[in-house]
Amino acid sequence: MFLIFLRSLLFNVLFYTVLVCLAIVALPTFALPPRAMLTVAQWWAKATLFLMRVVCNIKVEFRGVEKIPEGPLVIVAKHQSFWETFVLPGFFYRPIFILKRQLMQIPVFGQFLVKTGMIAIDRKAGVKALLDMTRRAREAVRGGGQLVIFPEGTRRAPGAPPDYKTGFAQIYSSCGVQCLPIALNSGLFWPRRTFMRYPGTLVVEFLDPLPPGLPKDEFLARVQAVIEDATGRIVEAGRKEQEQLIGSAPSYAPTDS
């Protein structure tokens, strides 16, 4: 475990060094179309994947990439780690995230979010926030964007009981496009509230798209069922691999949210 600590420390130093360097490189892109800024963000993601493999012995496997539809889309993804927030956009031409409003207030980073068209929501605004978010999401998707939603609203530790909100079903109904569910086990390797990075195979699985126009109750049930089933399967496989690599799988608070 001490070796994992040292590798994690080195990884984080390199990770943030690369981030600062690319943030400087990205400054001129504020005067360019949003695609230029997203390209720099993809360089960051690719550099991170390289560091994860070389420094931390974390392999990353993307399954079902061929299932990603072209054009406007609603993407509903499991959320266990900060990792997927900057890696998943690389699979989509015009990724647009729904995120909490406070992130827009972070210097430089907040301006990046505004420039790339991300949708901020004030969680304290209640129904008004949901209506505004739905309107902006519908406009973004009809403009050709791919909307990325984390239906539980925040990161959940591996094994935590699912806590799916209902607002994303309203967005899906309003947008009238296909929905792509995504399962993953990133929380085993890049957990919340620690700088530790654990070895193994991080898996992202793109699942079968759901057609537009499903009744809300059916849509909610199907999304949760397919994501949780696939997530449970790949989390269990990841735990077994970690037990072989380091003797025991790291423990995570099941109620972490």
Side-chain angles (χ1 to χ4, degrees):
M1 192 64 71
F2 182 65
L3 181 58
I4 293 176
F5 172 85
L6 290 178
R7 287 180 172 178
S8 299
L9 181 61
L10 175 60
F11 170 82
N12 280 279
V13 170
L14 295 173
F15 174 78
Y16 287 107
T17 299
V18 170
L19 174 59
V20 170
C21 291
L22 287 179
I24 295 172
V25 170
L27 289 177
T29 65
F30 279 96
L32 299 173
R35 189 64 210 169
M37 191 171 286
L38 289 171
T39 298
V40 177
Q42 289 176 12
W43 294 348
W44 178 36
K46 290 178 180 178
T48 301
L49 293 177
F50 174 78
L51 291 174
M52 290 169 65
R53 183 177 72 253
V54 173
V55 178
C56 301
N57 192 25
I58 301 174
K59 302 174 184 177
V60 181
E61 181 179 339
F62 298 101
R63 301 174 182 171
V65 176
E66 71 281 356
K67 296 180 181 180
I68 301 176
E70 296 182 358
L73 185 65
V74 171
I75 299 133
V76 179
K78 190 70 176 176
H79 192 20
Q80 294 182 351
S81 170
F82 171 58
W83 180 88
E84 52 263 18
T85 64
F86 63 88
V87 173
L88 288 182
F91 288 89
F92 306 99
Y93 181 71
R94 289 188 58 191
I96 300 169
F97 280 79
I98 293 179
L99 41 79
K100 57 185 179 182
R101 186 177 180 181
Q102 292 87 335
L103 293 176
M104 295 290 193
Q105 301 169 356
I106 300 175
V108 181
F109 182 69
Q111 283 69 49
F112 164 81
L113 297 176
V114 173
K115 174 72 175 181
T116 52
M118 304 303 168
I119 299 174
I121 178 173
D122 183 358
R123 295 175 178 175
K124 298 180 181 179
V127 175
K128 180 181 178 182
L130 177 61
L131 292 174
D132 181 63
M133 176 181 65
T134 301
R135 176 187 59 80
R136 294 182 61 192
R138 181 174 61 248
E139 292 174 353
V141 171
R142 289 181 177 177
Q146 294 89 34
L147 188 70
V148 184
I149 303 173
F150 298 122
E152 294 173 284
T154 189
R155 291 169 291 179
R156 303 284 290 171
D163 185 25
Y164 286 64
K165 315 304 181 185
T166 58
F168 76 98
Q170 175 62 38
I171 293 173
Y172 157 82
S173 297
S174 177
C175 290
V177 295
Q178 295 183 81
C179 171
L180 178 69
I182 301 177
L184 44 77
N185 64 356
S186 58
L188 294 175
F189 312 96
W190 190 309
R192 186 183 182 186
R193 295 173 181 164
T194 176
F195 79 96
M196 295 292 284
R197 304 291 176 256
Y198 297 101
T201 304
L202 191 162
V203 175
V204 176
E205 188 166 338
F206 299 94
L207 306 170
D208 292 328
L210 299 177
L214 293 174
K216 289 182 183 178
D217 288 345
E218 179 183 351
F219 173 70
L220 281 167
R222 288 180 63 176
V223 164
Q224 180 168 335
V226 297
I227 292 179
E228 290 303 311
D229 179 67
T231 296
R233 171 171 42 79
I234 59 180
V235 164
E236 180 62 23
R239 288 189 188 278
K240 290 180 178 178
E241 182 185 17
Q242 285 185 329
E243 289 174 357
Q244 295 176 348
L245 290 172
I246 61 179
S248 63
S251 60
Y252 309 92
T255 57
D256 187 12
S257 61

